[in-house]
Coordinates of all heavy atoms in Angstrom, one line a residue:
M161 N 159.6 158.6 269.9 CA 160.1 159.9 269.6 C 159.5 160.5 268.3 O 159.1 161.6 268.2 CB 161.6 159.8 269.4 CG 162.3 161.1 269.2 SD 163.4 161.5 270.5 CE 164.3 162.7 269.8
L162 N 159.3 159.6 267.3 CA 158.6 160.1 266.1 C 157.2 160.4 266.4 O 156.7 161.5 265.8 CB 158.6 159.0 265.0 CG 158.0 159.3 263.7 CD1 158.7 160.5 263.0 CD2 158.1 158.1 262.7
V163 N 156.5 159.8 267.3 CA 155.2 160.1 267.6 C 155.1 161.5 268.2 O 154.2 162.3 267.9 CB 154.6 159.0 268.6 CG1 153.2 159.5 269.1 CG2 154.4 157.7 267.9
A164 N 156.1 161.8 269.1 CA 156.2 163.1 269.7 C 156.3 164.2 268.6 O 155.7 165.3 268.7 CB 157.3 163.2 270.7
R165 N 157.1 163.9 267.6 CA 157.4 164.9 266.5 C 156.1 165.1 265.7 O 155.7 166.2 265.3 CB 158.5 164.4 265.7 CG 159.8 164.6 266.4 CD 161.0 164.1 265.5 NE 162.2 164.1 266.2 CZ 163.3 163.4 265.8 NH1 163.3 162.7 264.7 NH2 164.3 163.5 266.6
V166 N 155.4 164.0 265.4 CA 154.1 164.1 264.7 C 153.1 164.9 265.5 O 152.4 165.8 265.0 CB 153.6 162.7 264.3 CG1 152.2 162.8 263.7 CG2 154.5 162.1 263.3
M167 N 153.0 164.6 266.8 CA 152.1 165.3 267.7 C 152.4 166.8 267.7 O 151.6 167.7 267.7 CB 152.1 164.8 269.1 CG 151.6 163.4 269.2 SD 149.9 163.2 268.5 CE 148.9 164.1 269.7
R168 N 153.8 167.2 267.7 CA 154.2 168.6 267.7 C 153.7 169.3 266.5 O 153.2 170.4 266.5 CB 155.7 168.7 267.9 CG 156.2 170.1 267.8 CD 157.7 170.1 267.9 NE 158.1 170.0 269.3 CZ 158.4 171.0 270.1 NH1 158.5 172.2 269.6 NH2 158.7 170.8 271.3
D169 N 153.9 168.6 265.3 CA 153.4 169.1 264.0 C 151.9 169.4 264.0 O 151.4 170.4 263.6 CB 153.8 168.2 262.9 CG 153.5 168.9 261.5 OD1 154.0 170.0 261.3 OD2 152.9 168.3 260.7
L170 N 151.2 168.4 264.6 CA 149.7 168.6 264.6 C 149.4 169.8 265.5 O 148.5 170.5 265.2 CB 149.0 167.3 265.1 CG 149.1 166.1 264.2 CD1 148.5 164.9 264.8 CD2 148.4 166.4 262.9
S171 N 150.0 169.9 266.6 CA 149.7 171.0 267.5 C 150.1 172.4 266.9 O 149.4 173.4 267.1 CB 150.4 170.9 268.9 OG 151.8 171.1 268.7
M172 N 151.1 172.4 266.1 CA 151.5 173.6 265.3 C 150.4 174.0 264.4 O 150.0 175.2 264.4 CB 152.8 173.4 264.5 CG 154.0 173.4 265.3 SD 155.4 173.1 264.1 CE 156.6 172.5 265.2
G173 N 149.9 173.1 263.7 CA 148.8 173.4 262.7 C 147.5 173.8 263.5 O 146.8 174.7 263.0
N174 N 147.2 173.2 264.6 CA 146.1 173.5 265.4 C 146.2 174.9 266.0 O 145.2 175.5 266.2 CB 145.8 172.4 266.5 CG 145.3 171.1 265.9 OD1 144.8 171.1 264.8 ND2 145.5 170.1 266.6
C175 N 147.4 175.3 266.4 CA 147.5 176.6 267.1 C 147.1 177.8 266.1 O 146.8 178.8 266.6 CB 148.9 176.8 267.6 SG 150.1 177.4 266.5
L176 N 147.1 177.5 264.8 CA 146.8 178.6 263.9 C 145.3 178.6 263.7 O 144.8 179.6 263.2 CB 147.4 178.3 262.5 CG 149.0 178.5 262.5 CD1 149.5 178.2 261.1 CD2 149.4 179.8 263.0
C177 N 144.6 177.6 264.2 CA 143.1 177.6 264.0 C 142.4 178.0 265.3 O 141.2 178.2 265.3 CB 142.7 176.2 263.6 SG 143.4 175.6 262.0
C178 N 143.1 178.0 266.4 CA 142.4 178.2 267.7 C 142.0 179.7 267.9 O 142.5 180.6 267.3 CB 143.3 177.7 268.8 SG 144.7 178.8 269.1
R179 N 141.0 179.8 268.8 CA 140.6 181.1 269.2 C 140.6 181.1 270.7 O 140.2 180.2 271.3 CB 139.1 181.4 268.8 CG 138.9 181.4 267.3 CD 139.5 182.7 266.8 NE 139.3 182.7 265.3 CZ 139.3 183.8 264.6 NH1 139.5 184.9 265.2 NH2 139.2 183.7 263.3
P180 N 141.1 182.1 271.4 CA 141.8 183.3 270.8 C 143.1 182.9 270.2 O 143.7 181.9 270.5 CB 142.0 184.2 272.0 CG 142.0 183.3 273.2 CD 141.2 182.1 272.9
R181 N 143.5 183.8 269.2 CA 144.7 183.5 268.5 C 145.9 183.6 269.4 O 145.9 184.4 270.4 CB 144.9 184.5 267.4 CG 143.8 184.3 266.3 CD 143.8 185.2 265.2 NE 142.9 184.9 264.2 CZ 142.5 185.7 263.2 NH1 143.0 186.9 263.1 NH2 141.7 185.4 262.3
H182 N 147.0 182.9 269.1 CA 148.2 182.9 269.8 C 149.0 184.2 269.5 O 148.9 184.7 268.4 CB 149.1 181.7 269.6 CG 148.6 180.5 270.2 ND1 148.6 180.2 271.5 CD2 148.1 179.4 269.6 CE1 148.1 179.0 271.8 NE2 147.8 178.5 270.6
K183 N 149.7 184.7 270.5 CA 150.6 185.9 270.3 C 151.7 185.5 269.3 O 152.1 184.4 269.2 CB 151.2 186.4 271.5 CG 150.3 186.9 272.6 CD 151.1 187.4 273.7 CE 150.3 187.7 274.9 NZ 151.1 188.1 276.1
Q184 N 152.2 186.5 268.6 CA 153.3 186.3 267.6 C 154.5 185.8 268.4 O 155.2 184.9 267.9 CB 153.6 187.7 267.0 CG 154.7 187.6 266.0 CD 154.9 188.9 265.3 OE1 154.1 189.7 265.1 NE2 156.2 189.1 264.9
S185 N 154.8 186.3 269.6 CA 155.9 185.9 270.4 C 155.8 184.4 270.7 O 156.9 183.7 270.7 CB 156.1 186.8 271.6 OG 155.0 186.7 272.4
T186 N 154.7 183.9 271.1 CA 154.4 182.6 271.4 C 154.7 181.7 270.2 O 155.4 180.6 270.3 CB 153.0 182.3 271.9 OG1 152.7 183.2 273.0 CG2 152.8 180.9 272.3
I187 N 154.3 182.1 269.1 CA 154.5 181.3 267.8 C 156.0 181.3 267.4 O 156.5 180.3 267.0 CB 153.6 181.8 266.7 CG1 152.1 181.5 267.0 CG2 154.0 181.1 265.4 CD1 151.2 182.1 266.1
E188 N 156.6 182.4 267.7 CA 158.1 182.5 267.4 C 158.9 181.5 268.3 O 159.8 180.9 267.8 CB 158.6 184.0 267.5 CG 158.1 184.8 266.5 CD 158.4 186.3 266.7 OE1 158.7 186.7 267.8 OE2 158.4 187.1 265.7
V189 N 158.4 181.4 269.5 CA 159.1 180.4 270.4 C 158.9 179.0 269.9 O 159.8 178.2 269.9 CB 158.6 180.6 271.9 CG1 159.0 179.4 272.7 CG2 159.0 181.9 272.5
M190 N 157.7 178.7 269.5 CA 157.4 177.3 268.9 C 158.3 177.1 267.7 O 158.9 176.0 267.5 CB 156.0 177.2 268.5 CG 155.0 177.2 269.6 SD 153.3 177.0 269.1 CE 153.3 175.3 268.5
I191 N 158.5 178.1 266.8 CA 159.3 178.0 265.7 C 160.8 177.7 266.1 O 161.4 176.7 265.6 CB 159.3 179.2 264.8 CG1 157.9 179.3 264.2 CG2 160.4 179.2 263.7 CD1 157.6 180.6 263.5
K192 N 161.3 178.5 267.0 CA 162.7 178.3 267.5 C 162.9 176.9 268.1 O 164.0 176.2 267.9 CB 163.1 179.3 268.5 CG 163.5 180.6 267.9 CD 164.0 181.6 268.9 CE 164.3 182.9 268.2 NZ 164.9 183.9 269.2
E193 N 162.0 176.4 268.9 CA 162.1 175.1 269.5 C 162.0 174.0 268.5 O 162.6 172.9 268.7 CB 161.0 174.9 270.6 CG 161.1 175.8 271.8 CD 160.0 175.6 272.8 OE1 159.0 174.9 272.4 OE2 160.1 176.2 273.9
S194 N 161.4 174.2 267.4 CA 161.2 173.1 266.4 C 162.2 173.1 265.3 O 162.3 172.1 264.6 CB 159.8 173.2 265.8 OG 158.8 173.2 266.8
E195 N 162.9 174.2 265.1 CA 163.9 174.3 264.0 C 165.0 173.2 264.1 O 165.5 172.8 263.1 CB 164.4 175.7 263.8 CG 163.4 176.6 263.2 CD 163.9 178.0 263.0 OE1 164.8 178.5 263.8 OE2 163.5 178.6 262.0
G196 N 165.4 172.9 265.3 CA 166.5 171.9 265.4 C 166.1 170.5 265.3 O 166.9 169.6 265.2
L197 N 164.8 170.2 265.0 CA 164.4 168.8 264.9 C 164.8 168.3 263.5 O 164.6 169.0 262.5 CB 162.9 168.7 265.0 CG 162.3 169.0 266.3 CD1 160.8 169.0 266.3 CD2 162.8 168.1 267.4
P198 N 165.3 167.0 263.4 CA 165.8 166.5 262.1 C 164.7 165.9 261.3 O 164.9 164.8 260.8 CB 166.8 165.5 262.6 CG 166.3 165.0 263.9 CD 165.7 166.2 264.5
I199 N 163.6 166.5 261.2 CA 162.4 166.0 260.5 C 161.7 167.2 259.9 O 161.7 168.3 260.5 CB 161.5 165.1 261.3 CG1 160.5 164.4 260.5 CG2 160.9 165.9 262.4 CD1 159.6 163.3 261.3
Y200 N 161.1 166.9 258.7 CA 160.3 168.0 258.1 C 158.9 168.1 258.7 O 158.3 167.1 258.8 CB 160.1 167.8 256.6 CG 159.2 168.7 255.9 CD1 159.6 170.1 255.7 CD2 158.0 168.3 255.5 CE1 158.8 171.0 255.1 CE2 157.1 169.2 254.9 CZ 157.5 170.5 254.7 OH 156.7 171.5 254.1
L201 N 158.6 169.3 259.2 CA 157.3 169.5 259.8 C 156.5 170.5 259.0 O 156.9 171.7 259.0 CB 157.4 170.0 261.2 CG 158.2 169.1 262.2 CD1 158.5 169.8 263.5 CD2 157.4 167.8 262.4
P202 N 155.5 170.1 258.2 CA 154.7 171.1 257.4 C 154.1 172.2 258.3 O 154.0 173.4 257.8 CB 153.6 170.3 256.8 CG 154.1 168.8 256.9 CD 155.0 168.8 258.1
G203 N 153.7 171.9 259.5 CA 153.2 172.9 260.3 C 154.2 174.0 260.7 O 153.8 175.2 260.9
L204 N 155.4 173.7 260.7 CA 156.5 174.7 261.0 C 156.5 175.7 259.9 O 156.6 176.9 260.1 CB 157.8 174.0 261.1 CG 159.0 174.9 261.4 CD1 158.8 175.6 262.7 CD2 160.3 174.1 261.5
E205 N 156.3 175.3 258.6 CA 156.3 176.3 257.5 C 155.1 177.2 257.6 O 155.2 178.3 257.3 CB 156.3 175.5 256.1 CG 157.7 174.7 255.9 CD 158.9 175.7 256.1 OE1 158.9 176.8 255.5 OE2 159.9 175.2 256.7
L206 N 154.0 176.6 258.0 CA 152.8 177.4 258.2 C 153.0 178.5 259.3 O 152.5 179.6 259.1 CB 151.6 176.5 258.6 CG 151.1 175.6 257.4 CD1 150.0 174.6 258.0 CD2 150.5 176.4 256.3
L207 N 153.6 178.1 260.4 CA 153.9 179.0 261.4 C 154.8 180.2 261.0 O 154.5 181.3 261.2 CB 154.5 178.3 262.6 CG 153.6 177.4 263.4 CD1 154.4 176.7 264.6 CD2 152.4 178.1 264.0
K208 N 155.8 179.8 260.3 CA 156.8 180.8 259.7 C 156.1 181.8 258.8 O 156.3 183.0 258.9 CB 158.0 180.1 259.0 CG 159.0 179.4 259.9 CD 160.0 178.8 259.1 CE 161.1 178.1 259.9 NZ 162.1 177.5 259.2
D209 N 155.2 181.2 257.9 CA 154.5 182.1 257.0 C 153.5 183.0 257.7 O 153.5 184.2 257.4 CB 153.7 181.2 256.0 CG 153.0 182.1 255.0 OD1 153.6 182.8 254.3 OD2 151.7 182.0 255.0
S210 N 152.9 182.5 258.8 CA 152.0 183.4 259.5 C 152.7 184.5 260.2 O 152.2 185.6 260.2 CB 151.2 182.5 260.5 OG 150.4 181.5 259.9
V211 N 153.9 184.2 260.8 CA 154.6 185.3 261.5 C 155.1 186.3 260.5 O 155.1 187.5 260.7 CB 155.8 184.6 262.3 CG1 156.8 185.7 262.8 CG2 155.2 183.8 263.5
R212 N 155.6 185.8 259.3 CA 156.0 186.7 258.3 C 154.9 187.6 257.8 O 155.1 188.8 257.7 CB 156.6 185.9 257.1 CG 157.1 186.8 256.0 CD 157.4 186.1 254.7 NE 156.3 185.3 254.2 CZ 155.1 185.8 253.6 NH1 155.0 187.1 253.4 NH2 154.2 185.0 253.2
R213 N 153.7 187.1 257.7 CA 152.6 187.9 257.3 C 152.2 188.9 258.4 O 151.8 190.0 258.1 CB 151.4 187.0 256.9 CG 151.6 186.2 255.6 CD 150.6 185.2 255.4 NE 149.2 185.6 255.6 CZ 148.2 184.8 255.8 NH1 148.4 183.5 256.0 NH2 147.0 185.2 256.0
A214 N 152.3 188.5 259.6 CA 152.1 189.4 260.7 C 153.1 190.6 260.8 O 152.6 191.8 260.9 CB 152.1 188.7 262.1
V215 N 154.3 190.3 260.5 CA 155.3 191.3 260.5 C 155.1 192.3 259.3 O 155.2 193.5 259.5 CB 156.7 190.7 260.4 CG1 157.8 191.7 260.2 CG2 157.1 190.0 261.8
D216 N 154.8 191.7 258.2 CA 154.5 192.5 257.0 C 153.3 193.4 257.2 O 153.3 194.6 256.8 CB 154.3 191.7 255.8 CG 155.5 190.9 255.3 OD1 156.6 191.3 255.7 OD2 155.4 190.0 254.4
W217 N 152.3 192.9 257.9 CA 151.1 193.6 258.1 C 151.3 194.8 259.1 O 150.9 196.0 258.8 CB 150.0 192.8 258.8 CG 148.7 193.6 259.0 CD1 147.7 193.8 258.2 CD2 148.5 194.3 260.3 NE1 146.8 194.7 258.8 CE2 147.2 194.9 260.1 CE3 149.1 194.3 261.5 CZ2 146.6 195.7 261.1 CZ3 148.5 195.1 262.5 CH2 147.3 195.7 262.3
K218 N 152.1 194.6 260.1 CA 152.4 195.7 261.0 C 153.2 196.7 260.4 O 152.9 197.9 260.6 CB 153.2 195.1 262.2 CG 153.4 196.2 263.3 CD 154.0 195.7 264.5 CE 154.2 196.8 265.5 NZ 154.9 196.4 266.8
A219 N 154.2 196.4 259.5 CA 154.9 197.4 258.8 C 154.0 198.2 257.9 O 154.1 199.4 257.8 CB 156.0 196.7 258.0
K220 N 153.1 197.5 257.2 CA 152.2 198.3 256.3 C 151.2 199.2 257.1 O 151.0 200.3 256.7 CB 151.4 197.2 255.5 CG 150.3 197.8 254.6 CD 150.9 198.6 253.4 CE 149.7 199.0 252.6 NZ 150.2 199.9 251.5
A221 N 150.7 198.7 258.2 CA 149.8 199.5 259.0 C 150.6 200.7 259.6 O 150.0 201.8 259.5 CB 149.3 198.6 260.2
N222 N 151.8 200.5 260.0 CA 152.5 201.7 260.5 C 152.8 202.7 259.4 O 152.7 203.9 259.6 CB 153.9 201.3 261.1 CG 153.7 200.7 262.5 OD1 152.8 201.2 263.3 ND2 154.5 199.7 262.9
T223 N 153.1 202.2 258.2 CA 153.3 203.1 257.0 C 152.0 203.9 256.7 O 152.1 205.1 256.6 CB 153.7 202.3 255.8 OG1 154.9 201.6 256.1 CG2 153.9 203.2 254.6
V224 N 150.9 203.3 256.7 CA 149.6 203.9 256.4 C 149.3 204.9 257.5 O 148.9 206.1 257.2 CB 148.5 202.9 256.2 CG1 147.1 203.6 256.2 CG2 148.7 202.1 255.0
L225 N 149.5 204.6 258.8 CA 149.1 205.5 259.8 C 150.1 206.6 260.0 O 149.7 207.7 260.6 CB 149.1 204.7 261.2 CG 147.9 203.7 261.2 CD1 148.0 202.9 262.5 CD2 146.5 204.3 261.1
K226 N 151.3 206.5 259.5 CA 152.3 207.6 259.6 C 152.3 208.6 258.4 O 153.1 209.4 258.3 CB 153.7 207.1 259.8 CG 153.8 206.4 261.2 CD 155.2 205.9 261.4 CE 155.3 205.3 262.8 NZ 156.7 204.8 263.1
M227 N 151.4 208.3 257.4 CA 151.3 209.2 256.3 C 150.9 210.6 256.7 O 150.2 210.7 257.7 CB 150.4 208.7 255.2 CG 150.8 207.4 254.6 SD 149.7 206.7 253.3 CE 148.1 207.4 253.6
P228 N 151.4 211.7 256.0 CA 151.1 213.0 256.4 C 149.6 213.2 256.5 O 149.1 214.0 257.4 CB 151.7 213.9 255.4 CG 152.6 213.0 254.6 CD 152.3 211.6 254.9
E229 N 148.8 212.7 255.5 CA 147.4 212.8 255.5 C 146.8 211.6 256.2 O 147.3 210.6 256.3 CB 146.8 213.0 254.1 CG 147.0 211.8 253.2 CD 148.4 211.7 252.6 OE1 149.2 212.6 252.6 OE2 148.7 210.6 252.0
L230 N 145.6 211.8 256.7 CA 144.9 210.8 257.4 C 144.5 209.7 256.5 O 144.2 210.0 255.3 CB 143.6 211.3 258.1 CG 143.7 212.3 259.3 CD1 142.4 212.8 259.7 CD2 144.4 211.5 260.4
P231 N 144.6 208.4 256.9 CA 144.2 207.3 256.0 C 142.7 207.4 255.6 O 141.9 207.8 256.5 CB 144.6 206.1 256.8 CG 144.7 206.5 258.2 CD 145.0 208.0 258.2
T232 N 142.4 206.9 254.4 CA 141.0 206.9 254.0 C 140.3 205.7 254.7 O 141.0 204.8 255.1 CB 140.8 206.8 252.5 OG1 141.4 205.5 252.1 CG2 141.6 207.9 251.8
L233 N 139.0 205.7 254.7 CA 138.2 204.6 255.2 C 138.5 203.3 254.4 O 138.7 202.2 255.0 CB 136.7 204.9 255.1 CG 135.8 203.8 255.7 CD1 136.2 203.6 257.2 CD2 134.4 204.3 255.6
D234 N 138.7 203.4 253.1 CA 139.1 202.3 252.3 C 140.4 201.6 252.7 O 140.6 200.4 252.7 CB 139.1 202.6 250.8 CG 137.6 202.8 250.3 OD1 136.7 202.3 250.9 OD2 137.5 203.5 249.3
Q235 N 141.4 202.5 253.0 CA 142.7 202.0 253.4 C 142.6 201.3 254.7 O 143.2 200.2 254.9 CB 143.7 203.2 253.5 CG 144.1 203.8 252.2 CD 145.0 205.0 252.4 OE1 144.7 205.9 253.2 NE2 146.0 205.2 251.6
L236 N 141.8 201.8 255.7 CA 141.6 201.2 257.0 C 140.9 199.9 256.8 O 141.2 198.9 257.5 CB 140.9 202.1 257.9 CG 141.7 203.4 258.3 CD1 140.8 204.3 259.1 CD2 143.0 203.0 259.0
K237 N 139.9 199.9 256.0 CA 139.1 198.6 255.8 C 140.0 197.5 255.2 O 140.0 196.3 255.5 CB 137.9 198.9 254.8 CG 136.8 199.5 255.4 CD 135.7 199.7 254.4 CE 134.4 200.3 255.0 NZ 133.4 200.5 254.0
A238 N 140.9 197.9 254.2 CA 141.8 197.0 253.6 C 142.8 196.4 254.6 O 143.1 195.2 254.7 CB 142.6 197.7 252.5
L239 N 143.2 197.3 255.5 CA 144.2 196.8 256.6 C 143.5 195.8 257.5 O 144.0 194.8 257.9 CB 144.7 198.0 257.4 CG 145.8 198.8 256.9 CD1 146.1 200.0 257.8 CD2 147.1 197.9 256.8
V240 N 142.2 196.1 257.9 CA 141.5 195.2 258.7 C 141.2 193.9 258.1 O 141.4 192.8 258.7 CB 140.2 195.9 259.3 CG1 139.3 194.9 260.0 CG2 140.5 197.1 260.1
A241 N 140.8 193.9 256.8 CA 140.5 192.7 256.1 C 141.8 191.9 256.0 O 141.7 190.6 256.1 CB 140.0 193.0 254.7
R242 N 142.9 192.5 255.8 CA 144.2 191.8 255.6 C 144.6 191.2 257.0 O 145.1 190.1 257.1 CB 145.3 192.7 255.1 CG 146.5 192.0 254.6 CD 147.4 193.0 253.9 NE 148.7 192.5 254.0 CZ 149.8 193.3 253.9 NH1 149.7 194.5 253.7 NH2 151.0 192.7 254.1
A243 N 144.3 191.9 258.1 CA 144.6 191.4 259.4 C 143.8 190.3 259.8 O 144.2 189.3 260.5 CB 144.4 192.6 260.4
N244 N 142.5 190.2 259.4 CA 141.6 189.2 259.8 C 142.0 187.8 259.1 O 141.7 186.8 259.6 CB 140.2 189.5 259.3 CG 139.5 190.5 260.3 OD1 139.9 190.7 261.4 ND2 138.6 191.3 259.8
A245 N 142.8 187.9 258.0 CA 143.2 186.7 257.3 C 144.5 186.1 257.9 O 144.9 185.0 257.6 CB 143.5 187.0 255.9
I246 N 145.1 186.8 258.9 CA 146.4 186.3 259.5 C 146.0 185.6 260.8 O 145.4 186.2 261.7 CB 147.3 187.5 259.8 CG1 147.6 188.2 258.4 CG2 148.6 187.0 260.4 CD1 148.3 189.5 258.7
P247 N 146.4 184.3 260.9 CA 146.0 183.5 262.1 C 146.9 183.8 263.3 O 147.3 182.8 264.0 CB 146.1 182.1 261.6 CG 147.2 182.1 260.6 CD 147.0 183.5 259.9
V248 N 147.3 185.0 263.6 CA 148.1 185.3 264.7 C 147.5 186.5 265.4 O 147.0 187.4 264.7 CB 149.6 185.7 264.2 CG1 150.4 186.2 265.3 CG2 150.2 184.6 263.5
R249 N 147.6 186.6 266.7 CA 147.2 187.8 267.4 C 148.1 188.9 267.1 O 149.3 188.8 267.5 CB 147.1 187.6 268.9 CG 146.4 188.8 269.6 CD 146.4 188.7 271.1 NE 146.1 187.4 271.6 CZ 146.4 187.0 272.8 NH1 147.0 187.9 273.7 NH2 146.2 185.8 273.2
L250 N 147.7 189.9 266.4 CA 148.6 190.9 265.9 C 148.9 191.9 267.1 O 148.1 192.2 267.9 CB 148.0 191.7 264.7 CG 147.7 190.8 263.5 CD1 146.9 191.6 262.5 CD2 149.0 190.4 262.9
E251 N 150.2 192.4 267.0 CA 150.6 193.4 268.0 C 150.1 194.7 267.6 O 149.7 195.0 266.5 CB 152.1 193.4 268.0 CG 152.8 192.1 268.4 CD 154.3 192.1 268.3 OE1 154.9 193.2 268.0 OE2 154.9 191.0 268.5
L252 N 150.1 195.6 268.6 CA 149.6 196.9 268.4 C 150.5 197.7 267.5 O 151.7 197.5 267.5 CB 149.5 197.7 269.7 CG 148.5 197.2 270.7 CD1 148.6 198.0 272.0 CD2 147.1 197.3 270.2
V253 N 150.0 198.5 266.7 CA 150.8 199.4 265.8 C 151.1 200.6 266.6 O 150.5 201.0 267.6 CB 150.0 199.7 264.5 CG1 149.9 198.5 263.6 CG2 148.8 200.4 264.7
D254 N 152.1 201.4 266.1 CA 152.4 202.6 266.8 C 151.3 203.6 266.8 O 150.6 203.7 265.9 CB 153.7 203.2 266.1 CG 154.9 202.3 266.2 OD1 155.0 201.4 267.1 OD2 155.7 202.4 265.3
Q255 N 151.2 204.3 267.9 CA 150.2 205.3 268.1 C 150.5 206.5 267.2 O 151.6 206.9 267.0 CB 150.1 205.8 269.5 CG 149.6 204.8 270.5 CD 148.2 204.5 270.4 OE1 147.4 205.3 270.0 NE2 147.7 203.2 270.7
V256 N 149.4 207.1 266.6 CA 149.5 208.3 265.8 C 149.0 209.5 266.6 O 147.9 209.4 267.2 CB 148.7 208.2 264.5 CG1 148.8 209.5 263.7 CG2 149.3 207.0 263.7
V257 N 149.8 210.5 266.8 CA 149.4 211.6 267.6 C 148.9 212.7 266.7 O 149.4 213.0 265.6 CB 150.5 212.1 268.5 CG1 150.0 213.2 269.4 CG2 150.9 210.9 269.3

């Protein structure tokens, strides 16, 4: 049983390195399934942090895109650079019309 838990932790860490990146919803399922385990899994903390960063990024991107004035190129570059550092397939931001 301990071997299975260790293997789960290793797969959690590996899922953040793989290409294509996993969807946020897939990682959230992994987190929920692992939270009940009575053992500390460092990979679980990495997954939680990655999902938190993805949620924060989406909120920031929506804020920038909903500003009354169009975002500057520098703002968009900063958003893309920040997104590239998040090991999760990011969800689409709301469309700006």
Side-chain angles (χ1 to χ4, degrees):
M161 183 119 163
L162 180 59
V163 172
R165 291 179 185 166
V166 170
M167 294 304 293
R168 176 179 283 259
D169 187 52
L170 291 173
S171 70
M172 285 180 200
N174 288 339
C175 87
L176 294 177
C177 300
C178 71
R179 297 287 179 158
R181 294 175 174 170
H182 289 288
K183 293 181 189 177
Q184 180 179 331
S185 58
T186 303
I187 294 175
E188 287 171 342
V189 168
M190 289 179 73
I191 291 169
K192 280 187 179 181
E193 289 177 352
S194 300
E195 283 183 329
L197 297 175
I199 188 171
Y200 174 72
L201 300 171
L204 183 59
E205 296 305 315
L206 291 171
L207 291 178
K208 288 179 181 179
D209 180 60
S210 297
V211 168
R212 181 193 51 77
R213 290 171 45 206
V215 169
D216 291 347
W217 178 86
K218 185 174 180 182
K220 176 68 175 175
N222 281 327
T223 300
V224 168
L225 294 175
K226 289 182 180 178
M227 294 184 336
E229 63 278 351
L230 290 174
T232 65
L233 183 58
D234 288 338
Q235 289 172 318
L236 295 175
K237 282 182 181 180
L239 278 175
V240 170
R242 198 168 152 204
N244 286 335
I246 301 171
V248 175
R249 186 182 326 157
L250 298 171
E251 297 175 5
L252 296 175
V253 295
D254 299 332
Q255 294 285 331
V256 178
V257 182

